[in-house]
């Protein structure tokens, strides 16, 4: 997409500027510290300061599933009497899909978990059992109908449909609108208000990573 290509170029420029500002700040603080140390010691400094700047932390959304312990599942289902509705749930980075497996006893639940150890077992409020698979991708529904945009409070959010629909799937962080509007091309800002469609995980991560540079200060620190 042309818009995402433009956002990527803007992101690189912003991070380059930020990297130089960070370097300047570190060199200044290090220089002042060295000067203070020299003054306290009454000597002269001849050692060179060595510092190697690393890359900026990348804002990621990868799911890292962990295997659920068998004894944890046993403790969870031991109180189940009779049968419960059992569902297979696919939990994506954006969206989810649920399919009914049927009704299961506690013994059947344990057996199913043994056969599918990567699935996480949980019990819903109504007592139904869910076997959840975490998938590092967008659901088919999100790929065809998910848009990034701004909610009424200025938060970067993911919508089902264009932002006008007000169908918020997930809210990420508040944006510094003044900084954003002064830094990005007018057409890019307009597109954000209209909604930026994402059809795959790379586009999703690219938009998130780009606009993380415009998050308000406290939330920007939490992202990195």
């Amino acid at each position: 997409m042309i818009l995402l290509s433009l956002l990527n170029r803007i992101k690189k420029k912003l991070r380059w500027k930020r990297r130089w500002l960070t370097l300047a700040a570190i060199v200044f603080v290090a220089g002042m510290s060295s000067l203070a140390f020299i003054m306290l010691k009454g000597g002269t400094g001849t050692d060179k300061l060595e510092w190697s700047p690393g890359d900026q932390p990348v804002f990621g959304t990868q799911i890292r599933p962990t295997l659920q312990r068998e004894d944890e599942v046993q403790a969870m289902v031991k109180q189940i009497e009779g049968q419960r509705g059992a569902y297979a749930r696919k939990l994506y980075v954006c969206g989810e899909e649920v399919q009914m497996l049927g009704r299961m006893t506690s013994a059947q639940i344990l057996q199913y978990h043994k056969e599918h150890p990567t699935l996480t077992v949980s019990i819903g409020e109504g007592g139904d059992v869910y076997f959840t698979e975490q998938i590092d991708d967008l659901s088919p529904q999100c790929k065809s109908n998910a848009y990034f945009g701004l909610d009424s409070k200025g938060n970067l959010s993911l919508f089902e449909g264009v932002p006008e629909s007000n169908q918020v799937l997930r809210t990420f962080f508040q944006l510094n609108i003044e900084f954003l509007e002064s830094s990005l091309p007018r057409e890019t800002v307009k597109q954000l208000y209209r909604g930026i469609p994402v059809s795959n995980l790379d586009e999703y991560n690219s938009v998130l990573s780009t606009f993380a540079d415009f998050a308000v200060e406290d939330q920007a620190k939490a992202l990195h």
Side-chain angles (χ1 to χ4, degrees):
M1 295 172 61
I2 296 176
L3 176 60
L4 288 176
S5 177
L6 175 61
L7 288 176
N8 284 331
R9 291 199 297 270
I10 292 170
K11 175 174 61 178
K12 289 179 181 178
K13 290 181 180 179
L14 286 170
R15 287 184 172 171
W16 179 256
K17 291 179 181 178
R18 179 177 294 179
R19 192 168 295 163
W20 275 107
L21 289 173
T22 301
L23 173 59
I26 290 176
V27 170
F28 175 77
V29 172
M32 293 300 293
S33 299
S34 298
L35 178 61
F37 178 78
I38 292 168
M39 292 177 67
L40 286 172
K41 292 294 184 180
T44 58
T46 57
D47 292 339
K48 294 182 179 179
L49 174 67
E50 294 184 1
W51 182 79
S52 176
D55 291 334
Q56 292 280 346
V58 176
F59 180 83
T61 56
Q62 288 186 343
I63 293 175
R64 301 182 182 275
T66 56
L67 294 180
Q68 193 174 27
R69 290 169 46 183
E70 187 66 26
D71 58 350
E72 180 184 342
V73 179
Q74 291 176 355
M76 187 186 307
V77 303
K78 69 178 182 180
Q79 302 297 330
I80 292 180
E81 297 180 357
Q83 295 181 328
R84 299 288 179 86
Y87 296 84
R89 176 168 59 184
K90 292 182 178 180
L91 187 60
Y92 296 85
V93 172
C94 167
E96 67 175 307
E97 296 177 342
V98 178
Q99 179 182 3
M100 187 168 187
L101 298 172
R103 299 186 65 81
M104 293 185 181
T105 63
S106 58
Q108 290 172 323
I109 293 170
L110 289 173
Q111 181 60 35
Y112 192 87
H113 179 254
K114 287 180 180 179
E115 295 171 359
H116 304 84
T118 60
L119 304 184
T120 301
V121 182
S122 61
I123 299 178
E125 293 182 1
D128 290 331
V129 177
Y130 292 87
F131 298 93
T132 301
E133 176 185 7
Q134 294 183 317
I135 301 175
D136 194 23
D137 197 0
L138 310 185
S139 71
Q141 176 66 17
C142 281
K143 287 180 178 180
S144 64
N145 199 37
Y147 290 77
F148 277 102
L150 291 174
D151 67 13
S152 59
K153 297 181 180 179
N155 296 309
L156 181 70
S157 299
L158 192 67
F159 295 82
E160 182 178 357
V162 294
E164 269 185 3
S165 67
N166 290 322
Q167 299 296 316
V168 177
L169 296 171
R170 184 176 178 185
T171 297
F172 295 95
F173 43 79
Q174 188 174 11
L175 291 172
N176 184 330
I177 301 298
E178 183 178 352
F179 176 43
L180 184 150
E181 291 184 342
S182 64
S183 302
L184 295 179
R186 180 178 300 179
E187 185 56 36
T188 303
V189 176
K190 287 182 179 179
Q191 183 64 53
L192 177 62
Y193 281 101
R194 290 195 297 262
I196 300 174
V198 287
S199 59
N200 58 57
L201 189 60
D202 287 340
E203 293 177 356
Y204 177 97
N205 284 334
S206 179
V207 173
L208 268 183
S209 180
T210 297
F211 285 103
D213 289 326
F214 299 98
V216 295
E217 185 175 354
D218 291 342
Q219 295 183 41
K221 291 179 181 178
L223 293 174
H224 295 299

